[in-house]
Amino acid sequence: MVTSIILLKVKRKKVNEVAEQLADIPGVSEVYSVTGKYDLVVMIRVKTNDDLAELVTGNLVNVDGVKKTDTMLSFKAFSKHDLDSMFSM
Amino acid sequence: MVTSIILLKVKRKKVNEVAEQLADIPGVSEVYSVTGKYDLVVMIRVKTNDDLAELVTGNLVNVDGVKKTDTMLSFKAFSKHDLDSMFSM
Amino acid sequence: MVTSIILLKVKRKKVNEVAEQLADIPGVSEVYSVTGKYDLVVMIRVKTNDDLAELVTGNLVNVDGVKKTDTMLSFKAFSKHDLDSMFSM
Amino acid sequence: MVTSIILLKVKRKKVNEVAEQLADIPGVSEVYSVTGKYDLVVMIRVKTNDDLAELVTGNLVNVDGVKKTDTMLSFKAFSKHDLDSMFSM
Amino acid sequence: MVTSIILLKVKRKKVNEVAEQLADIPGVSEVYSVTGKYDLVVMIRVKTNDDLAELVTGNLVNVDGVKKTDTMLSFKAFSKHDLDSMFSM
Amino acid sequence: MVTSIILLKVKRKKVNEVAEQLADIPGVSEVYSVTGKYDLVVMIRVKTNDDLAELVTGNLVNVDGVKKTDTMLSFKAFSKHDLDSMFSM
Amino acid sequence: MVTSIILLKVKRKKVNEVAEQLADIPGVSEVYSVTGKYDLVVMIRVKTNDDLAELVTGNLVNVDGVKKTDTMLSFKAFSKHDLDSMFSM
Amino acid sequence: MVTSIILLKVKRKKVNEVAEQLADIPGVSEVYSVTGKYDLVVMIRVKTNDDLAELVTGNLVNVDGVKKTDTMLSFKAFSKHDLDSMFSM
Amino acid sequence: MVTSIILLKVKRKKVNEVAEQLADIPGVSEVYSVTGKYDLVVMIRVKTNDDLAELVTGNLVNVDGVKKTDTMLSFKAFSKHDLDSMFSM
Amino acid sequence: MVTSIILLKVKRKKVNEVAEQLADIPGVSEVYSVTGKYDLVVMIRVKTNDDLAELVTGNLVNVDGVKKTDTMLSFKAFSKHDLDSMFSM
């Protein structure tokens, strides 16, 4: 499983709307509206880097209201949970 | 469920070691080592703000090797998954 | 009581006007116009995280003139005063 | 009433300890441990600028564990509450 | 005497014009156009915090061409000169 | 008259001590301890650039406790006051 | 061989389009779309500084959609590969 | 082929030494010493994300003299060259 | 001789054009287009601070395409060359 | 002629000493101590990129007291002066 975490700054009145649109995109596992200098944190869980590339530079860019993104690839996940089976990969 | 996402900068040679210690702390759901200017992203899922406070200002500070933290509280989660039941809250 | 402190940057000519509007919102306890790189500091005191989420991502975003916000959740309050009773929670 | 709000960065293992020490200083009304890039937010309510100067450059500097401070003077408070009488000035 | 020092960034072609307007405002003692990342430094010398508040959030905001301000309150002045009498407070 | 304004960050427990030392240096007109991200603002009024250079890179650097300085040269002063005669240049 | 590496921020919906246009410019060896705070990394391999100057300040500026660039000249390359012959210089 | 580009800040006297050590690590394709705020740019070309994770969080951290790293994963490469065969993947 | 060095950020398509206009202004000795986060570096060599003030806040501001400037006054020049005579002051 | 401009931050008490040492290095044309957030600006004029590389990553790093450097390569010089002959290249 390829996991990526994206920090987003969003236009002020669009936080919830953008969150809902993002959460609908295949491969987007969770979207959190958060305190602090970012507005949303997006968890992406896909099979391959190409899926990730397509999602980030193809899909995600078409969601209006996003001002700034900082995309992080996860090297490795550490968890008590079996994330692969939980997120049925 | 109270969800918090913490961005961490960690001493260079301690990234994996710190990740493992954090993942063992009750309430820490997942820890990801990541690309970019941060080193780790920690997902916390607990019942109450007090649990979160105890974890962040009580527990987490005792893990050596952590240089800088930026803690975000999640206002709301948007997901196709039933996160509460998945993370059995 | 859930306490949150928000640092705001506001359009130059709207500082007092925005402060007044914010102070009227239920759950907003105090608003201070301040020196320094921020323009306003907002103290929010509500019952639950959901109230906080609704206030921040629902109500507050509709106040015009706000350029940038940095929202902080208070883990714990330390005071000689009995803040809960003072702010009648 | 002269109100000042101070944002503090504190040594990681000293957050609660520093908060308690600060809350004991006369003139310090409330101290909040918070999420985000700061660790503590201190509310100061005193009678005169000189009291504020003495507290900030005389008293507060002697509390060990404080790494960085950003002090803001409040020009004006906007609130439903009668803050002066609440904080018995 | 309440002294405040304000660092300003101003629209490029308006530096001298804004400086002149500011210098005319009662309570503004001196305005300096400067090298470095700021464009102007304003010295304010007034009697009370309320005068300062009125000047900064009432008067100063109406001067066009100002892009960004960082206002500092002076706790204490150290000088060989008798500033109070020099600036006839 | 050559005027320069210097913004200083100082070691926390040395603010007043450093201010006093600086105020004693010939050419230093005023020193203000201030709110905000800086600790001191120094006003220098001398006759020539060489005096300024000697003061900044010769004298000032020998005052212990100064962490960071940002020196600004004033191009031009705008004031109701006759600053030259007031500061007897 | 003169090698230069340029970090680019690009308008959100234009990442792939800009990458393709840049990759067509003579002297541009590779363009990578990347995670993190930049959007593209451009590898330039040319014969002389003048070629580099012409490419950066002449050619590259005409590609629409580029918001910000940070150009680095490589002093020296360290590699197991014979880069000069690989990139046929 | 999984390509990653890492920006490094290195201790001043160790730039060339660190560059040579990094260039020897399997999977490190090229290392460039550069102008600007970074000191080195490292090109990594490996087969899988796990190889990348092992290299970055396992190998690279053991090279002394590295102060700060910012790791970017390449989503996609755009080039006239057949990079895969050139770098014999 | 009064020497000043100005770092400029310029609109992307105007770098060479702005450089040429600046180089024509009396008192501007050299203009360099550069790599890195700035676009141009301007060397100013004039007789007095007033000449410098007039050039920077009077002349230079009228050159279109300049986005941001950071002006530095040189305290002292260290060189094997006799800069005064070279630049015929 | 290859021209490079380097911005330096230097240990406070070493500004003049470092400037003198740098000015002695072959290829260093001028060193200026300056106002603002940098301490020194170094003008380098050499024949080839290799000379520049040797000077920056070989020579310059051995001068003690330098805290931070930001090196810029000049693409092109614009000047009324014939810089090549003036600096006898």
Side-chain angles (χ1 to χ4, degrees):
Chain A
M1 179 157 75
V2 173
T3 304
S4 172
I5 299 157
I6 308 181
L7 309 172
L8 284 88
K9 292 192 183 183
V10 176
K11 282 188 188 149
R12 277 190 66 232
K13 303 193 180 186
K14 295 213 163 196
V15 173
N16 288 335
E17 185 192 319
V18 167
E20 271 149 26
Q21 282 182 44
L22 292 172
D24 272 349
I25 299 176
V28 173
S29 169
E30 309 125 73
V31 180
Y32 301 97
S33 60
V34 291
T35 62
K37 58 186 179 195
Y38 300 103
D39 299 303
L40 296 178
V41 175
V42 179
M43 301 295 293
I44 291 180
R45 307 179 199 268
V46 288
K47 284 211 170 74
T48 68
N49 284 5
D50 288 343
D51 296 340
L52 179 59
E54 177 46 34
L55 199 156
V56 172
T57 64
N59 240 318
L60 215 123
V61 291
N62 296 320
V63 176
D64 282 327
V66 174
K67 293 198 298 186
K68 207 173 154 194
T69 65
D70 191 344
T71 307
M72 300 177 273
L73 172 80
S74 163
F75 287 124
K76 199 173 159 188
F78 304 77
S79 179
K80 308 173 194 72
H81 304 286
D82 174 356
L83 300 173
D84 275 21
S85 67
M86 277 172 78
F87 292 100
S88 58
M89 282 287 147
Chain B
M1 179 156 75
V2 173
T3 304
S4 171
I5 299 157
I6 308 181
L7 309 172
L8 284 88
K9 292 192 181 182
V10 176
K11 282 187 187 150
R12 277 190 66 233
K13 304 192 178 187
K14 295 215 163 194
V15 172
N16 289 335
E17 185 192 321
V18 167
E20 271 147 23
Q21 282 183 43
L22 292 173
D24 273 349
I25 299 176
V28 173
S29 169
E30 309 124 75
V31 180
Y32 301 96
S33 60
V34 291
T35 62
K37 60 186 178 194
Y38 298 105
D39 300 303
L40 296 178
V41 175
V42 179
M43 302 294 293
I44 291 180
R45 306 180 200 267
V46 287
K47 284 212 171 72
T48 68
N49 285 4
D50 288 344
D51 296 339
L52 179 60
E54 179 45 34
L55 200 155
V56 173
T57 64
N59 240 319
L60 216 121
V61 292
N62 296 319
V63 176
D64 283 327
V66 174
K67 292 197 300 186
K68 207 173 155 193
T69 64
D70 190 344
T71 306
M72 300 177 274
L73 172 81
S74 163
F75 286 125
K76 202 174 157 186
F78 304 76
S79 178
K80 307 174 194 73
H81 303 286
D82 173 359
L83 300 172
D84 274 23
S85 68
M86 277 172 78
F87 292 101
S88 59
M89 281 288 147
Chain C
M1 178 157 74
V2 173
T3 304
S4 172
I5 299 156
I6 308 181
L7 308 173
L8 284 88
K9 291 192 182 183
V10 176
K11 281 189 188 148
R12 278 190 65 234
K13 303 191 179 185
K14 295 214 163 194
V15 172
N16 289 335
E17 184 192 321
V18 167
E20 270 148 25
Q21 282 183 44
L22 292 172
D24 273 348
I25 299 175
V28 173
S29 169
E30 309 124 73
V31 180
Y32 301 96
S33 60
V34 290
T35 63
K37 59 187 179 195
Y38 299 104
D39 299 302
L40 295 178
V41 175
V42 179
M43 301 295 292
I44 292 180
R45 307 179 199 267
V46 287
K47 284 211 171 72
T48 68
N49 285 5
D50 288 344
D51 295 339
L52 179 60
E54 178 46 32
L55 200 155
V56 172
T57 63
N59 240 319
L60 215 121
V61 291
N62 296 319
V63 176
D64 282 326
V66 175
K67 293 198 297 185
K68 207 173 155 193
T69 65
D70 190 345
T71 306
M72 300 177 275
L73 171 80
S74 162
F75 287 124
K76 201 173 157 188
F78 303 76
S79 177
K80 306 173 195 74
H81 304 286
D82 174 357
L83 300 173
D84 274 23
S85 66
M86 277 172 77
F87 293 101
S88 58
M89 282 289 149
Chain D
M1 179 156 73
V2 172
T3 304
S4 172
I5 298 155
I6 309 182
L7 309 172
L8 284 88
K9 292 191 183 183
V10 176
K11 283 188 187 152
R12 277 190 66 232
K13 304 192 180 186
K14 295 215 164 195
V15 172
N16 288 334
E17 185 191 320
V18 166
E20 270 149 24
Q21 282 183 45
L22 291 173
D24 273 350
I25 298 175
V28 172
S29 169
E30 308 125 75
V31 180
Y32 301 96
S33 61
V34 291
T35 62
K37 60 185 178 195
Y38 298 105
D39 299 303
L40 295 177
V41 174
V42 179
M43 302 294 293
I44 291 180
R45 307 178 200 269
V46 287
K47 284 211 171 74
T48 68
N49 285 4
D50 288 343
D51 295 340
L52 179 60
E54 178 46 34
L55 200 155
V56 172
T57 64
N59 238 320
L60 215 123
V61 292
N62 297 320
V63 176
D64 282 327
V66 174
K67 291 198 297 186
K68 206 173 156 197
T69 64
D70 190 344
T71 306
M72 301 176 275
L73 172 80
S74 162
F75 287 124
K76 200 173 158 187
F78 305 74
S79 179
K80 306 173 194 75
H81 304 285
D82 173 359
L83 299 173
D84 275 23
S85 67
M86 276 172 80
F87 292 101
S88 59
M89 280 289 148
Chain E
M1 180 158 74
V2 173
T3 305
S4 172
I5 299 157
I6 308 181
L7 309 172
L8 284 88
K9 292 193 183 182
V10 176
K11 282 188 188 151
R12 278 189 66 232
K13 303 192 178 185
K14 296 215 162 193
V15 172
N16 289 334
E17 185 192 320
V18 167
E20 271 147 24
Q21 282 183 43
L22 292 172
D24 273 349
I25 299 176
V28 172
S29 170
E30 309 125 73
V31 180
Y32 301 96
S33 61
V34 290
T35 62
K37 59 187 180 197
Y38 299 104
D39 299 303
L40 296 177
V41 175
V42 179
M43 301 295 293
I44 292 180
R45 306 178 199 270
V46 286
K47 285 212 170 74
T48 69
N49 285 5
D50 288 344
D51 295 340
L52 179 60
E54 177 47 31
L55 200 156
V56 172
T57 63
N59 239 318
L60 216 123
V61 291
N62 296 320
V63 177
D64 283 326
V66 174
K67 292 197 299 186
K68 207 174 155 194
T69 65
D70 190 345
T71 306
M72 300 177 274
L73 171 81
S74 161
F75 287 125
K76 200 174 159 187
F78 304 76
S79 178
K80 307 174 193 73
H81 303 287
D82 173 358
L83 300 173
D84 275 23
S85 67
M86 277 172 78
F87 292 100
S88 57
M89 282 288 147
Chain F
M1 178 157 75
V2 172
T3 304
S4 172
I5 299 157
I6 309 181
L7 309 172
L8 283 88
K9 292 191 182 182
V10 176
K11 281 187 188 152
R12 278 189 66 233
K13 304 193 180 187
K14 295 212 162 197
V15 172
N16 288 334
E17 185 192 321
V18 167
E20 271 148 26
Q21 282 183 42
L22 292 172
D24 273 349
I25 299 176
V28 172
S29 170
E30 309 125 75
V31 180
Y32 300 96
S33 61
V34 291
T35 62
K37 60 186 179 196
Y38 298 104
D39 300 303
L40 295 177
V41 175
V42 179
M43 302 294 295
I44 291 180
R45 306 179 199 268
V46 287
K47 284 210 172 73
T48 69
N49 284 4
D50 288 343
D51 295 340
L52 179 60
E54 178 46 35
L55 200 156
V56 172
T57 64
N59 238 321
L60 215 121
V61 292
N62 296 320
V63 176
D64 283 326
V66 175
K67 293 197 300 185
K68 206 173 156 194
T69 65
D70 191 345
T71 306
M72 301 177 275
L73 171 80
S74 163
F75 286 125
K76 200 174 158 187
F78 304 76
S79 177
K80 307 171 196 74
H81 304 287
D82 173 358
L83 299 173
D84 274 23
S85 67
M86 277 171 78
F87 292 100
S88 60
M89 281 289 150
Chain G
M1 178 158 74
V2 172
T3 304
S4 172
I5 299 157
I6 307 181
L7 308 172
L8 283 88
K9 292 192 182 183
V10 177
K11 280 188 189 148
R12 278 189 66 233
K13 303 191 178 186
K14 296 214 164 195
V15 173
N16 289 334
E17 184 191 321
V18 167
E20 271 149 23
Q21 281 183 44
L22 292 172
D24 273 349
I25 299 176
V28 173
S29 168
E30 309 124 73
V31 180
Y32 301 96
S33 60
V34 290
T35 62
K37 58 186 179 197
Y38 299 103
D39 299 302
L40 296 178
V41 175
V42 179
M43 301 295 294
I44 292 180
R45 307 179 199 267
V46 288
K47 284 209 169 76
T48 69
N49 284 6
D50 288 343
D51 296 340
L52 178 60
E54 178 45 34
L55 200 156
V56 172
T57 64
N59 239 319
L60 215 122
V61 292
N62 296 321
V63 176
D64 283 325
V66 174
K67 293 197 298 186
K68 207 174 156 193
T69 65
D70 190 344
T71 306
M72 300 177 274
L73 171 80
S74 162
F75 287 125
K76 200 173 159 188
F78 304 75
S79 177
K80 307 173 193 74
H81 303 287
D82 173 358
L83 300 173
D84 274 21
S85 65
M86 277 173 78
F87 293 101
S88 58
M89 281 287 148
Chain H
M1 180 158 74
V2 172
T3 304
S4 172
I5 298 156
I6 309 182
L7 309 172
L8 283 88
K9 293 191 180 182
V10 176
K11 280 187 188 151
R12 279 189 65 233
K13 304 192 179 186
K14 295 216 164 193
V15 172
N16 289 335
E17 185 191 322
V18 167
E20 271 148 23
Q21 282 183 46
L22 292 173
D24 273 349
I25 299 176
V28 172
S29 169
E30 309 124 74
V31 180
Y32 301 97
S33 61
V34 291
T35 62
K37 59 185 177 195
Y38 298 104
D39 300 303
L40 296 177
V41 175
V42 179
M43 302 294 293
I44 291 180
R45 307 179 199 268
V46 287
K47 284 211 171 75
T48 68
N49 284 4
D50 288 344
D51 296 339
L52 179 60
E54 178 45 34
L55 201 156
V56 172
T57 64
N59 240 318
L60 215 121
V61 292
N62 296 319
V63 176
D64 282 327
V66 174
K67 292 198 299 187
K68 206 173 154 192
T69 65
D70 190 345
T71 306
M72 301 177 273
L73 172 81
S74 163
F75 288 124
K76 202 174 158 187
F78 305 75
S79 178
K80 308 172 195 74
H81 304 287
D82 173 358
L83 300 173
D84 274 24
S85 67
M86 278 172 77
F87 291 100
S88 59
M89 282 287 149
Chain I
M1 178 158 74
V2 173
T3 305
S4 171
I5 299 157
I6 308 182
L7 309 172
L8 283 88
K9 293 192 182 183
V10 176
K11 280 187 190 150
R12 277 190 65 232
K13 303 191 179 186
K14 295 214 163 195
V15 172
N16 289 335
E17 185 193 320
V18 167
E20 271 148 24
Q21 282 182 44
L22 293 172
D24 272 349
I25 299 176
V28 172
S29 169
E30 309 124 73
V31 180
Y32 302 95
S33 61
V34 290
T35 62
K37 59 186 178 197
Y38 299 104
D39 300 302
L40 296 177
V41 175
V42 179
M43 301 295 293
I44 291 180
R45 307 179 200 268
V46 287
K47 284 213 170 72
T48 68
N49 285 4
D50 288 343
D51 295 340
L52 179 60
E54 178 46 34
L55 200 156
V56 172
T57 63
N59 238 320
L60 214 123
V61 292
N62 296 320
V63 176
D64 282 325
V66 174
K67 292 197 300 186
K68 206 173 155 192
T69 65
D70 190 345
T71 307
M72 300 177 275
L73 171 81
S74 161
F75 287 125
K76 201 174 158 186
F78 304 76
S79 178
K80 307 173 195 75
H81 303 286
D82 173 357
L83 300 173
D84 275 23
S85 66
M86 278 172 77
F87 292 100
S88 58
M89 282 288 149
Chain J
M1 178 157 74
V2 172
T3 304
S4 171
I5 299 156
I6 308 181
L7 309 173
L8 284 89
K9 292 192 181 182
V10 176
K11 281 188 188 151
R12 277 189 67 233
K13 303 192 179 186
K14 294 216 164 194
V15 172
N16 289 334
E17 185 192 320
V18 167
E20 270 148 25
Q21 281 183 44
L22 292 173
D24 273 350
I25 298 175
V28 172
S29 168
E30 309 123 76
V31 181
Y32 301 97
S33 60
V34 291
T35 62
K37 60 186 178 197
Y38 298 105
D39 300 304
L40 296 177
V41 175
V42 179
M43 301 294 293
I44 291 179
R45 307 178 198 269
V46 287
K47 284 210 170 76
T48 68
N49 284 5
D50 288 344
D51 296 339
L52 180 60
E54 178 46 33
L55 201 156
V56 173
T57 64
N59 240 319
L60 216 122
V61 292
N62 296 320
V63 176
D64 283 327
V66 174
K67 292 197 299 185
K68 208 173 154 194
T69 65
D70 190 346
T71 306
M72 300 177 274
L73 172 81
S74 163
F75 287 124
K76 200 173 159 188
F78 305 76
S79 179
K80 307 171 193 74
H81 304 286
D82 172 358
L83 300 173
D84 274 23
S85 67
M86 277 172 78
F87 292 100
S88 59
M89 281 288 150

